[in-house]
């Protein structure tokens, strides 16, 4: 067990992120299956003068997999990847990830700065930078939660910057 106080900042609800993952997964699978069905049906309707199908099953499969990868990959990369919770201990920072579920532990001395980045209107991502050049982005969070976490991380790294204004996050 670690000694000292621990501060925990949750940027995204873990249960909400899991529900979003399932919804986007099902939506992506459904659209890809729909594309496959349309392409296979189109290939089954042959004309009298044509003996070859318009679209082969392998082409329909590849097109469906590409659509699934594009849809779900984009959602994962923009909304679901990154840490969803940050835990500040005396000398360590723990970054908790959902997809895949794991925790990254960084020493306080490794961290160089915390950056707040606006990605969508009202949605922000935090980026932790280390002195070695590594970057750890957070999942997409609402602006007030991201600002509160950004402020706490800056105070943790810089020793008490409690007078930060929302304009500094932008």
């Amino acid at each position: 067990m670690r000694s000292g106080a621990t501060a925990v900042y949750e940027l995204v609800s873990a249960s909400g992120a899991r529900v979003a993952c399932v919804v986007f997964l099902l939506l992506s699978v459904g659209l890809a299956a729909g594309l496959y069905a349309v392409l296979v049906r189109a290939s089954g309707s042959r004309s009298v003068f044509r003996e070859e199908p318009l679209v082969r099953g392998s082409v329909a499969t590849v097109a469906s997999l590409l659509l699934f990868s594009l849809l779900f990959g984009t959602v994962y990369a923009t909304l679901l990847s990154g840490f969803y919770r940050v835990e500040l201990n005396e000398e360590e920072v723990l970054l908790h990830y959902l997809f895949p579920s794991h925790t990254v532990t960084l020493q306080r001395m490794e961290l160089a700065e915390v950056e707040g980045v606006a990605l969508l209107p009202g949605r922000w991502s935090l980026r932790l930078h280390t002195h070695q050049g590594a970057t750890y982005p957070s999942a997409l969070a609402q602006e007030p939660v991201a600002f509160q976490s950004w402020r706490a991380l800056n105070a943790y790294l810089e020793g008490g910057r409690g007078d930060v204004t929302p304009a500094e996050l932008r």
Side-chain angles (χ1 to χ4, degrees):
M1 195 83 187
R2 291 171 188 87
S3 63
T6 299
V8 177
Y9 296 91
E10 193 164 305
L11 295 160
V12 178
S13 163
S15 59
R18 286 186 185 105
V19 168
C21 181
V22 169
V23 167
F24 286 120
L25 180 66
L26 292 175
L27 179 67
S28 298
V29 166
L31 289 174
L35 175 65
Y36 180 82
V38 167
L39 292 177
V40 169
R41 178 178 289 167
S43 69
S45 61
R46 301 180 189 175
S47 69
V48 177
F49 302 108
R50 247 186 126 132
E51 294 188 15
E52 290 290 317
L54 295 175
V55 178
R56 296 188 178 173
S58 59
V59 173
T61 301
V62 169
S64 297
L65 287 174
L66 285 174
L67 178 64
F68 171 79
S69 299
L70 177 71
L71 292 175
F72 190 72
T74 301
V75 168
Y76 176 79
T78 57
L79 299 176
L80 301 173
S81 68
F83 62 90
Y84 76 98
R85 181 187 305 151
V86 61
E87 195 174 318
L88 307 176
N89 295 313
E90 279 187 35
E91 296 302 321
E92 297 180 320
V93 175
L94 284 81
L95 306 176
H96 299 273
Y97 292 81
L98 278 174
F99 308 111
S101 181
H102 68 286
T103 301
V104 173
T105 302
L106 300 170
Q107 296 301 314
R108 183 179 193 160
M109 300 303 290
E110 290 180 65
L111 294 176
E113 73 171 316
V114 180
E115 176 185 17
V117 181
L119 296 177
L120 296 171
R123 299 284 183 168
W124 290 73
S125 177
L126 299 181
R127 292 187 187 149
L128 277 66
H129 300 280
T130 66
H131 292 289
Q132 295 81 18
T135 301
Y136 298 90
S138 73
L140 204 55
Q142 292 188 7
E143 185 176 1
V145 175
F147 176 70
Q148 179 186 19
S149 301
W150 176 81
R151 178 185 239 170
L153 280 161
N154 268 317
Y156 176 78
L157 292 179
E158 298 173 10
R161 269 186 79 184
D163 58 341
V164 182
T165 64
E168 290 182 82
L169 182 59
R170 296 175 198 271

